[in-house]
């Protein structure tokens, strides 16, 4: 009695009787079966239309048109899309917020065997993040974000981050492009240590088989401040990510990232490459779990205090759980273990990190 056809009939009955919340839960359950996912997504669009949420309905219908091989269903989705009002050019806001508490087992990311400030020390912390976008005209938007991290005792490691950018969205064949420019500022212990200006482009493409590919390139001009003046120089970042839906309620992702720091001071200059993979398990419309792992190799140039250049190898494992509390509000619990293996004793460390937060978005 847990087959997708049963949940589909429950969803239809709930929809026709006006119980949209129950219908949404049922259709999400149906979507866990790949063969019926497109049909479930079409019905989720109908639920959104009943609620007057044309933006969500458009998102579901566009997905159906891409993922189904049933021409009849694809035509229904396209017809519904044609009936929707054209995308409004009225200014629109989107917002994301996260606030929580956590414990950091190695605040300074330094070996406990080294006698320096913060080496091997742990501390509790509080975090706050706010990010928002303001869209204007059909394809332009402003992005802004602020992040705060405050430790209970080791306040010299308190961190602040500010970011502001302008992005212009466009479509090129099957790709959606988001080129933009950003300015950022980072602080440590209450003092600004880095300012940067960057040009960025992100390209996204939906693929057959319920997957998508994203590529991002970002080039920054960096200005180091105070004790971190050696950070001044340039920084180039590249990221590739591929996600696809697996069997039933599973979703998988793989990624590759690379960064080149061409800093004036050799102590800050480095280049690294990272590969990773993760799996997401949606247990129900309320619960989801994620497990992931990454491996990063960092190349440090020759310095006066070392025999020559060296490599650090960092492995990180993470577990996440989310529990939907209300519409647009969820509990987010995260755990991460990090091990950095290095021939430099100070850089050879382990770290355990855990946090629980409340997330809100609209």
């Amino acid at each position: 009695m847990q087959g997708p056809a049963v949940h589909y009939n429950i969803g239809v009955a709930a929809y026709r009787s006006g119980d949209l919340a129950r219908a949404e839960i049922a259709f999400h359950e149906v979507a866990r079966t790949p063969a019926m996912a497109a049909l479930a997504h079409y019905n989720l669009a109908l639920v959104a239309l009943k609620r007057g949420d044309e933006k969500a309905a458009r998102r579901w219908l566009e997905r159906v048109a891409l993922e189904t091989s049933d021409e009849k269903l694809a035509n229904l989705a396209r017809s519904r899309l044609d009936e929707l009002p054209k995308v409004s050019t009225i200014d629109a806001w989107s917002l994301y917020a996260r606030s929580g508490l956590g414990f950091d087992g190695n605040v300074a990311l330094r070996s406990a065997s080294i006698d320096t400030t913060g080496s091997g020390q742990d501390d509790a912390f509080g975090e706050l993040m706010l990010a928002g976008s303001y869209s204007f005209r059909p394809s332009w938007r402003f992005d802004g974000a602020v992040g705060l991290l405050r430790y209970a005792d080791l306040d010299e490691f308190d961190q602040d981050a500010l970011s502001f950018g302008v992005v212009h969205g466009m479509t090129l064949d099957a790709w959606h492009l988001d080129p933009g420019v950003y300015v950022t500022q980072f602080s440590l212990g209450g003092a600004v240590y880095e300012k940067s200006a960057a040009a960025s482009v992100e390209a996204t493409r939906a693929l057959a088989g319920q997957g998508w590919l994203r590529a991002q390139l970002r080039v920054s001009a960096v200005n180091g401040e105070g004790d971190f003046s050696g950070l001044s120089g340039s920084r180039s970042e590249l990221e590739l990510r591929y996600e696809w839906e697996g069997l039933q309620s599973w979703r998988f992702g793989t990624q590759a990232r690379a960064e080149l720091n061409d800093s004036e001071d050799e102590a800050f200059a480095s280049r690294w490459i990272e590969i990773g993979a993760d799996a997401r398990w949606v247990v129900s419309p309320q619960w989801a779990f994620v497990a992931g792992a990454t491996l990063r190799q960092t190349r440090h140039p020759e310095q006066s205090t070392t025999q020559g250049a060296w490599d650090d190898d960092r492995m990180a494992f993470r577990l996440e759980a989310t529990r939907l509390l209300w519409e647009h509000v969820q509990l987010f619990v995260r755990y991460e273990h990090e091990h950095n293996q290095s021939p430099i004793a100070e850089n050879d460390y382990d770290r355990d990190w855990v946090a629980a937060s409340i997330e809100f978005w609209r």
Side-chain angles (χ1 to χ4, degrees):
M1 299 302 293
Q2 291 299 316
V6 175
H7 289 288
Y8 179 78
N9 289 335
I10 291 173
V12 172
Y15 175 81
R16 290 179 176 174
S17 66
D19 189 351
L20 300 182
R22 183 67 185 89
E24 184 177 37
I25 292 173
F27 290 133
H28 273 294
E29 185 68 26
V30 176
R32 295 169 60 180
T33 300
M36 296 185 67
L39 182 60
H41 295 155
Y42 178 80
N43 282 275
L44 285 169
L46 299 183
V47 171
L49 286 173
K50 278 285 188 180
R51 288 174 166 164
D53 189 348
E54 294 176 352
K55 183 178 179 181
R58 181 180 296 276
R59 185 173 66 249
W60 286 119
L61 292 170
E62 289 174 344
R63 184 169 178 178
V64 172
L66 287 172
E67 67 190 4
T68 186
S69 58
D70 184 336
E71 193 60 31
K72 182 179 178 180
L73 182 58
N75 288 335
L76 280 173
R78 295 188 191 103
S79 296
R80 289 282 184 174
L81 280 170
D82 290 340
E83 294 170 2
L84 290 175
K86 299 300 180 183
V87 178
S88 174
T89 59
I90 299 175
D91 300 340
W93 286 93
S94 63
L95 177 68
Y96 169 82
R98 184 177 76 218
S99 180
L101 301 173
F103 181 81
D104 190 338
N106 190 339
V107 176
L109 302 181
R110 291 291 183 267
S111 172
S113 64
I114 303 300
D115 187 19
T116 59
T117 303
S119 289
Q121 294 189 43
D122 53 48
D123 201 0
F125 66 84
E127 63 170 354
L128 174 65
M129 180 177 180
L130 297 172
S133 293
Y134 177 64
S135 300
F136 60 102
R137 297 183 178 180
S139 56
W140 288 88
R141 76 171 192 267
F142 293 123
D143 289 341
V146 57
L148 305 176
L149 185 67
R150 294 290 183 269
Y151 286 98
D153 298 316
L154 302 174
D155 54 6
E156 64 268 35
F157 293 100
D158 289 348
Q159 300 169 41
D160 300 331
L162 295 171
S163 175
F164 179 77
V166 181
V167 180
H168 176 55
M170 61 182 70
T171 301
L172 181 63
D173 293 330
W175 291 89
H176 180 76
L177 304 179
D178 285 309
V181 292
Y182 291 87
V183 292
T184 58
Q185 175 179 291
F186 297 100
S187 300
L188 180 67
V192 175
Y193 72 89
E194 178 186 305
K195 295 180 180 179
S196 66
S200 171
V201 61
E202 181 178 294
T204 307
R205 177 173 182 170
L207 303 175
Q210 304 180 37
W212 58 265
L213 178 67
R214 184 184 71 222
Q216 184 176 32
L217 174 65
R218 184 183 181 104
V219 180
S220 306
V222 180
N223 183 36
E225 303 281 338
D227 294 338
F228 296 90
S229 59
L231 280 170
S232 297
S234 63
R235 181 180 301 142
S236 302
E237 306 162 70
L238 176 64
E239 178 180 358
L240 298 172
R241 180 167 177 82
Y242 174 57
E243 283 197 14
W244 71 97
E245 290 188 8
L247 298 175
Q248 299 296 326
S249 55
W250 288 88
R251 189 174 186 92
F252 302 95
T254 60
Q255 67 182 36
R257 300 174 58 205
E259 183 175 290
L260 173 62
N261 290 298
D262 188 12
S263 302
E264 293 178 356
D265 190 333
E266 60 187 15
F268 297 107
S270 66
R271 64 178 186 268
W272 56 258
I273 185 169
E274 178 183 277
I275 57 174
D278 54 74
R280 179 180 177 85
W281 179 33
V282 181
V283 181
S284 71
Q286 286 77 37
W287 282 98
F289 298 92
V290 175
T294 58
L295 176 62
R296 175 185 294 188
Q297 184 176 76
T298 303
R299 181 70 170 176
H300 299 273
E302 181 177 353
Q303 300 180 28
S304 57
T305 58
T306 64
Q307 296 296 321
W310 79 92
D311 294 334
D312 286 353
D313 294 311
R314 190 186 78 178
M315 294 181 293
F317 305 91
R318 78 179 193 278
L319 297 172
E320 301 174 355
T322 57
R323 172 62 164 90
L324 189 65
L325 303 176
W326 303 280
E327 187 177 13
H328 306 304
V329 180
Q330 70 179 12
L331 173 67
F332 183 26
V333 180
R334 297 160 286 161
Y335 166 76
E336 183 171 323
H337 173 76
E338 184 177 317
H339 173 68
N340 196 72
Q341 184 176 348
S342 174
I344 307 301
E346 184 177 7
N347 293 350
D348 198 73
Y349 67 85
D350 285 279
R351 180 199 196 193
D352 287 290
W353 183 96
V354 64
S357 311
I358 297 295
E359 291 184 309
F360 167 80
W361 64 93
R362 66 168 298 276

